[in-house]
């Protein structure tokens, strides 16, 4: 609780309050929570200006004197040596210590904010994981939120909690208190996250307001306005990289929420009066029955936005408050890539091209759900000669219609499974077959027979690395000699986020980061890259994703190992000796080449190992 005393001590030392006042205020803070400075102001003991000056003194200690730095050292966030270097640099640059440490890449803005939070005894809030209710955001006018970069986050018993990167700006907090007419309690967030929220919520809000006033003003153009409004919502979803848009009828108003990077965010509320026409418009777009309100329906629509094709899957369900719509946004151009756009290294591209030019055999793409396997298979299919070759796919579901290719959808009701579909496909005289996934022995057996009778077969499996695909098939019950004679290659893959090109910067990693990636043996200087956060990436520092690959060609040596039922580890060793790069190494390469960050590959790839 040192933070409380720091501010309190300054006030006492300046004779603004006495020790007894301080203790009473601290007691109140303990009971009711809140910010000590505000409690003292509320009690009429000091003015906001006094608090502001005291906090300024405190903040100069934080950034100029090494006390804050010592705190980072004692919490083992940085080393003593790093602190000294930063302090040395501060002498010439006159920047704040926090800025210098972030710039040098030794700490993240989030770590600074968290330490800051402990130092001042003001709680920290991770805004990217916090769903702020729209009605809370509306407690402050937009111009105030933008001017002070302060976000209202929750209201509890007459206290409005606000997120700010600068809790020492008491003038701002005081003004907000007067406007909102609540007690204000600050919480610390990073500047980047605050700007991200402002970007995400207010742009759409402004547009919504404009649209809704149009709708009310001119009844005659209602239909046009509604359709423009729907376009605006979808456009905003696309702009904020949402994977899903939820349109939820609720009382008293409808609300729209976006799922961004896996988390649902409240975006706008929509008056009940436009709800019915809004839902109808979406259903018309998606070719759904607008007279049917109870039965759940699915629809789909292709849209061109910002010169890009998007596929929208629309699903409706009836809830007690009305019909709810979920729009899933699939990025068509992101889905249909050429082989050279997947993120393969030049060497891997050659290996891949040689595999798919083979007349027959099985190629497997492996990885967990969401690792980009389908995108890779589509890239392969689009590369193949669709005019002179008969290409048939069986998928669950068919994600995109590919030109010149016969696609069949798995449909248990019509008794089309991967196995039965594949069997009937073989009677269609195909050259190349794509099977969405091999899940069972029956499908595996038919796929192998197809490969052995002169077809090129492409499919996917759920395994973590390439060599394990072999042991997985044998575990399914496939005879080793069938695997060894049909399998020609396995491609394991993951997706990592690409650093935003607009705000990308280079930095020198420290020894710990170098060691984590196994790069300590290198003689040459190593640079890493990271995003700073900008408008283009909505302050997320990333934009788009790239594949990381481990490609194993099944050689004569590996074929022998399969026949001998050798474990995956043995097969892996031989594959490495024959030139296969492990997923991990391919990922580290992407860090060195500045495509992604060390954090990202640790999140996506290293966690899956061991
Ligand atoms: Zn950026």
């Amino acid at each position: 609780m040192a933070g409380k005393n720091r501010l309190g001590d300054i006030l006492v030392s300046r004779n603004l309050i006495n020790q007894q006042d301080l203790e009473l205020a601290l007691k109140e803070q303990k009971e009711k929570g809140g910010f000590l400075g505000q409690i003292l102001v509320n009690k009429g003991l000091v003015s906001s200006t006094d608090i502001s000056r005291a906090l300024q003194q405190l903040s100069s200690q934080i950034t100029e004197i090494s006390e804050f730095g010592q705190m980072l050292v004692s919490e083992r966030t940085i080393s003593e040596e790093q602190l000294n270097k930063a302090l040395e640099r501060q002498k010439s640059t006159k920047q704040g210590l926090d800025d210098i440490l972030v710039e040098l890449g030794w700490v993240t803005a989030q770590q600074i904010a968290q330490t800051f939070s402990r130092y001042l005894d003001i709680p920290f809030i991770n805004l990217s994981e916090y769903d702020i209710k729209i009605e809370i955001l509306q407690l402050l006018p937009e111009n105030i939120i933008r001017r002070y970069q302060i976000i209202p986050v929750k209201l509890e018993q007459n206290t409005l909690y606000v997120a700010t990167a600068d809790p020492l700006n008491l003038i701002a907090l005081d003004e907000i208190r007067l406007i909102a007419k609540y007690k204000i309690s600050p919480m610390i967030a990073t500047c980047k996250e605050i700007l991200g929220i402002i970007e995400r919520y207010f742009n759409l809000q402004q547009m919504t307001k404009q649209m809704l006033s149009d709708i009310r003003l001119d009844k005659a153009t209602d239909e046009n306005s509604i359709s423009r409004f729907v376009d605006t919502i979808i456009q905003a979803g696309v702009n904020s990289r949402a994977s899903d848009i939820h349109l939820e009828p609720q009382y008293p108003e409808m609300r729209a929420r976006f799922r961004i990077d896996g988390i649902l965010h409240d975006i706008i509320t929509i008056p009940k009066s436009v709800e019915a026409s809004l839902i109808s418009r979406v259903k018309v777009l998606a070719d759904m029955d607008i007279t049917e309100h109870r039965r759940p329906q699915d629809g789909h629509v292709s849209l061109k936005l910002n010169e890009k094709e998007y596929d929208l899957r629309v699903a409706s369900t009836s809830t007690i408050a009305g019909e709810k719509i979920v729009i899933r946004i699939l990025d068509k151009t992101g889905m249909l890539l050429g082989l050279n756009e997947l993120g393969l290294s030049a060497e891997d591209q050659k290996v891949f091209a040689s595999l798919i030019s083979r007349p027959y055999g099985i190629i497997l793409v492996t990885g967990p759900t969401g690792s980009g396997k389908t995108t890779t298979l589509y890239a392969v299919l689009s590369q193949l000669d669709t005019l002179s070759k008969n290409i048939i796919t069986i998928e669950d579901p068919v994600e995109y219609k590919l030109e010149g290719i016969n696609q069949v959808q798995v449909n248990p009701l019509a008794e089309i499974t991967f196995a039965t579909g594949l069997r009937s496909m073989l009677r269609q005289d195909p050259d190349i077959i794509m099977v969405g996934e091999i899940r069972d022995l029956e499908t595996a057996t038919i796929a192998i027979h197809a490969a052995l009778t002169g077809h090129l077969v492409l499919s996917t499996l759920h395994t973590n690395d390439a060599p394990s695909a072999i042991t997985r098939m044998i575990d399914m019950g496939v005879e080793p000699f069938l695997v060894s004679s049909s399998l020609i290659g396995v491609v394991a893959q993951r997706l990592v986020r690409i650093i935003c090109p607009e705000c990308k910067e280079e930095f020198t990693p420290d020894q710990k980061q170098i060691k984590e990636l196994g790069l300590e043996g290198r003689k040459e200087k190593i640079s890493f890259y990271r995003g700073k956060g900008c408008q283009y990436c909505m302050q997320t520092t990333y934009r788009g994703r790239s594949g990381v690959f481990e490609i194993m060609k099944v050689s004569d040596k590996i074929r022998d190992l399969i026949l001998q039922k050798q474990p995956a580890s043995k097969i892996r060793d031989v594959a490495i000796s024959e030139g296969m790069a492990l997923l991990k190494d391919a990922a580290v390469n992407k860090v060195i080449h500045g495509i992604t960050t060390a954090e990202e590959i640790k999140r996506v790839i290293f966690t899956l190992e061991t």
Side-chain angles (χ1 to χ4, degrees):
M1 298 292 104
K4 288 172 189 167
N5 295 323
R6 281 197 184 95
L7 177 62
D9 288 349
I10 290 173
L11 293 168
V12 172
S13 74
R14 289 182 168 195
N15 281 327
L16 289 164
I17 54 168
N18 60 36
Q19 196 63 39
Q20 202 187 347
D21 293 333
L22 175 60
E23 269 154 30
L24 278 173
L26 285 172
K27 194 164 156 262
E28 185 177 330
Q29 185 192 28
K30 210 170 174 185
E31 285 161 9
K32 299 183 189 161
F35 173 50
L36 181 70
Q38 200 66 55
I39 292 170
L40 289 165
V41 172
N42 292 350
K43 280 176 169 298
L45 292 168
V46 289
S47 68
S48 300
T49 323
D50 293 333
I51 296 289
S52 187
R53 285 198 191 117
L55 282 171
Q56 269 162 18
Q57 183 181 335
L58 195 52
S59 95
S60 67
Q61 287 175 9
I62 290 169
T63 51
E64 282 160 29
I65 308 172
S66 62
E67 194 183 351
F68 180 65
Q70 285 301 344
M71 195 161 165
L72 286 167
V73 172
S74 69
E75 290 179 347
R76 294 175 187 279
T77 311
I78 56 169
S79 68
E80 188 82 50
E81 195 195 339
Q82 285 174 326
L83 174 61
N84 290 334
K85 276 187 188 157
L87 289 171
E88 190 56 41
R89 181 157 165 167
Q90 193 177 33
K91 283 179 193 156
S92 55
T93 64
K94 304 274 180 223
Q95 281 169 286
L97 186 61
D98 47 351
D99 291 336
I100 293 176
L101 289 168
V102 173
E103 219 173 87
L104 288 168
W106 291 336
V107 292
T108 60
Q110 183 150 354
Q111 283 171 319
I112 288 282
Q114 280 166 336
T115 307
F116 209 49
S117 143
R118 286 188 289 273
Y119 186 90
L120 295 171
D121 190 36
I122 294 174
F124 173 79
I125 179 166
N126 188 350
L127 287 179
S128 61
E129 288 171 8
Y130 193 87
D131 181 17
I132 302 167
K133 294 282 164 235
I134 198 79
E135 53 270 25
I136 298 294
L137 266 179
Q138 285 164 345
L139 290 174
L140 287 178
E142 185 187 336
N143 63 341
I144 293 290
I145 291 180
R146 282 187 188 274
R147 184 186 321 149
Y148 295 123
Q149 297 184 357
I150 287 183
I151 309 269
V153 289
K154 60 176 175 183
L155 185 62
E156 272 174 20
Q157 292 166 355
N158 231 23
T159 298
L160 180 63
Y161 290 82
V162 297
T164 167
D166 183 13
L168 303 178
N169 187 350
L170 265 240
I171 311 258
L173 293 177
D174 209 38
E175 186 171 343
I176 284 172
R177 184 177 59 85
L178 291 172
I179 293 169
K181 302 195 173 61
Y182 289 110
K183 287 180 188 154
I184 301 293
S185 195
M187 300 178 93
I188 295 183
T190 65
C191 196
K192 204 167 85 183
E193 288 185 339
I194 288 174
L195 291 174
I197 300 257
I198 292 175
E199 181 70 22
R200 191 180 309 146
Y201 288 85
F202 289 106
N203 285 354
L204 182 60
Q205 287 229 295
Q206 269 171 356
M207 281 190 278
T208 306
K209 254 184 225 156
Q210 187 56 45
M211 296 274 164
L212 291 174
S213 69
D214 285 354
I215 292 170
R216 286 190 197 118
L217 278 175
D218 186 359
K219 286 279 176 201
T221 59
D222 254 4
E223 212 165 290
N224 282 333
S225 312
I226 287 284
S227 112
R228 269 215 315 280
F229 186 39
V230 168
D231 291 350
T232 307
I233 293 176
I234 294 170
Q235 176 87 59
V238 167
N239 288 350
S240 39
R241 301 179 305 106
S243 57
D244 304 84
I245 296 171
H246 292 237
L247 299 173
E248 303 173 336
Q250 282 180 7
Y251 296 109
E253 294 197 304
M254 178 181 208
R255 65 179 67 218
R257 301 203 284 170
F258 291 174
R259 186 179 295 282
I260 303 166
D261 292 331
I263 293 156
L264 266 179
H265 294 276
D266 229 353
I267 302 292
I268 43 163
T269 55
I270 298 158
K272 211 77 186 158
S273 57
V274 265
E275 181 183 307
S277 30
L278 182 69
I279 300 245
S280 285
R281 173 63 199 161
V282 176
K283 286 167 82 178
V284 167
L285 263 183
D287 219 1
M288 293 154 79
D289 180 358
I290 55 164
T291 59
E292 173 65 65
H293 300 287
R294 288 165 182 277
R295 196 170 49 87
Q297 293 186 66
D298 291 313
H300 121 272
V301 56
S302 292
L303 273 189
K304 204 168 181 182
L305 291 169
N306 312 336
E307 297 304 302
K308 274 176 95 177
E309 288 259 358
Y310 291 89
D311 225 8
L312 309 182
R313 296 277 166 82
V314 182
S316 72
T317 346
S318 96
T319 73
I320 48 164
E323 236 179 324
K324 178 188 157 144
I325 298 268
V326 178
I327 305 171
R328 164 149 287 201
I329 303 169
L330 296 164
D331 177 353
K332 233 175 184 169
T333 41
M335 189 80 191
L336 292 183
L337 298 175
L339 263 191
N340 57 343
E341 294 168 290
L342 295 175
L344 289 158
S345 67
E347 193 49 44
D348 281 346
Q349 249 186 78
K350 270 188 226 155
V351 178
F352 212 137
S354 84
L355 281 177
I356 61 172
S357 66
R358 301 269 285 267
Y360 61 89
I362 297 185
I363 301 168
L364 292 174
V365 181
T366 79
T369 305
S371 57
K373 299 187 293 282
T374 312
T375 308
T376 300
L377 287 182
Y378 280 177
V380 172
L381 293 178
S382 66
Q383 190 91 358
L384 297 166
D385 179 3
T386 52
L387 281 180
S388 67
K389 298 255 159 88
N390 182 11
I391 304 174
I392 303 184
T393 75
I394 175 143
E395 304 168 64
D396 183 20
V398 171
E399 297 200 29
Y400 289 108
K401 295 209 175 73
L402 299 165
E403 213 169 309
I405 291 175
N406 304 294
Q407 293 170 282
V408 177
Q409 165 123 13
V410 164
N411 182 357
L413 290 176
E415 288 181 8
I416 303 172
T417 62
F418 279 123
T420 60
L422 190 50
R423 203 171 270 135
S424 71
M425 226 184 245
L426 286 170
R427 293 191 286 267
Q428 301 283 322
D429 183 32
D431 298 296
I432 295 153
I433 299 166
M434 193 261 259
V435 186
E437 192 187 340
I438 294 180
R439 290 183 194 149
D440 51 51
L441 178 59
E442 194 186 3
T443 312
T445 309
I446 308 168
I448 286 171
H449 281 289
L452 293 177
T453 51
H455 305 93
L456 186 65
V457 180
L458 306 163
S459 192
T460 72
L461 266 187
H462 275 255
T463 65
N464 277 345
D465 61 11
S468 306
I470 290 169
T471 38
R472 168 62 56 81
M473 288 188 78
I474 294 173
D475 288 347
M476 264 183 201
V478 181
E479 288 296 333
F481 78 89
L482 286 176
V483 178
S484 79
S485 51
S486 60
L487 193 65
I488 56 176
V490 184
V491 179
Q493 80 168 88
R494 298 288 186 282
L495 291 176
V496 292
R497 288 181 291 170
I498 298 171
I499 300 171
C500 170
E502 293 298 317
C503 60
K504 181 161 144 180
E505 63 172 10
E506 190 178 348
F507 71 100
T508 309
D510 62 29
Q511 277 310 312
K512 189 172 145 242
Q513 290 169 307
I514 288 176
K515 222 173 147 190
E516 275 174 342
L517 265 52
L519 295 168
E520 59 270 36
R522 298 218 174 190
K523 288 210 176 62
E524 69 269 38
K525 181 179 169 287
I526 296 169
S527 286
F528 284 4
Y529 296 81
R530 65 184 163 207
K532 280 194 288 204
C534 67
Q535 293 244 332
Y536 186 61
C537 57
M538 307 275 297
Q539 313 299 329
T540 60
T541 73
Y542 294 98
R543 180 103 189 182
R545 290 194 288 182
S546 172
V548 175
F549 298 91
E550 172 177 297
I551 303 185
M552 183 178 79
K553 265 171 105 165
V554 179
S555 65
D556 289 343
K557 245 186 185 169
I558 291 176
R559 225 164 265 134
D560 284 344
L561 295 176
I562 300 173
L563 282 173
Q564 295 160 21
K565 282 190 152 188
Q566 293 287 346
S569 59
K570 201 104 180 234
I571 297 170
R572 179 182 306 123
D573 289 345
V574 170
I576 293 171
S577 76
E578 291 175 346
M580 177 179 83
L582 291 174
L583 266 180
K584 206 174 105 181
D585 298 328
V588 169
N589 248 323
K590 295 218 170 221
V591 174
I592 294 171
H593 287 108
I595 294 161
T596 193
T597 63
E599 288 74 25
E600 181 68 0
I601 70 165
K602 275 193 274 175
R603 180 180 76 85
V604 176
I605 288 150
F606 288 27
T607 49
L608 290 161
E609 307 234 329
T610 62

